[in-house]
Amino acid sequence: SLRMSFEDFLRLSRDDRANGYYLQTPLFALHPSLGAEGPAEVASPRLKKELDASMASELWRQLSSALGGATWFRSQLFVGPVGTLGTAHYDQYDNVFLQVQGRKRILLFDPCSGCRGLRPF
């Protein structure tokens, strides 16, 4: 794994067109065994302050209620170039997907079907 600032990642992504850069980084995480009572791991103090304010908002209370009061365990940021292809995988946590720019095609499999329908390339 390569460690670099987000600014450096953006600069490389913009300036080095010969290579495709992909970013996957955690923004927020709670340890599943500790739940909401455990300490949160947050990427930066500034982000923690903004998340704390957002989590105290009426919008978050309404969203949390609509989701049955579920605990938010993890938030990750993924940034990739056009044509980025992800492999079939199982996410350990429920997801909310937000596409900021461009388009993404997602193929979902019925979890009750097991591996039926999954074919090697």
Side-chain angles (χ1 to χ4, degrees):
S1 117
L2 177 65
R3 297 188 63 86
M4 70 173 62
S5 70
F6 187 65
E7 290 78 16
D8 286 343
F9 169 79
L10 290 176
R11 183 183 51 74
L12 281 169
S13 298
R14 182 189 63 231
D15 297 343
D16 184 3
R17 297 292 180 168
N19 294 292
Y21 292 89
Y22 182 79
L23 171 71
Q24 176 180 343
T25 187
L27 298 176
F28 171 90
L30 287 176
H31 194 281
S33 67
L34 300 176
E37 304 306 316
E41 297 175 24
V42 181
S44 75
R46 177 179 167 193
L47 178 60
K48 171 126 176 52
K49 183 178 178 182
E50 291 175 8
L51 285 173
D52 287 345
S54 295
M55 301 286 273
S57 72
E58 179 60 24
L59 176 61
W60 177 254
R61 281 192 286 279
Q62 291 174 1
L63 181 58
S64 180
S65 176
L67 296 171
T71 300
W72 175 24
F73 280 102
R74 183 176 204 83
S75 182
Q76 293 205 140
L77 174 66
F78 299 87
V79 180
V82 171
T84 299
L85 178 65
T87 59
H89 64 278
Y90 172 80
D91 288 329
Q92 296 174 343
Y93 300 95
D94 292 334
N95 287 272
V96 174
F97 180 83
L98 172 66
Q99 182 79 24
V100 177
Q101 183 176 350
R103 297 182 339 187
K104 175 66 73 178
R105 187 171 146 200
I106 299 174
L107 179 60
L108 300 176
F109 295 92
D110 180 354
C112 296
S113 68
C115 63
R116 290 188 318 267
L118 296 176
R119 306 275 189 259
F121 289 87

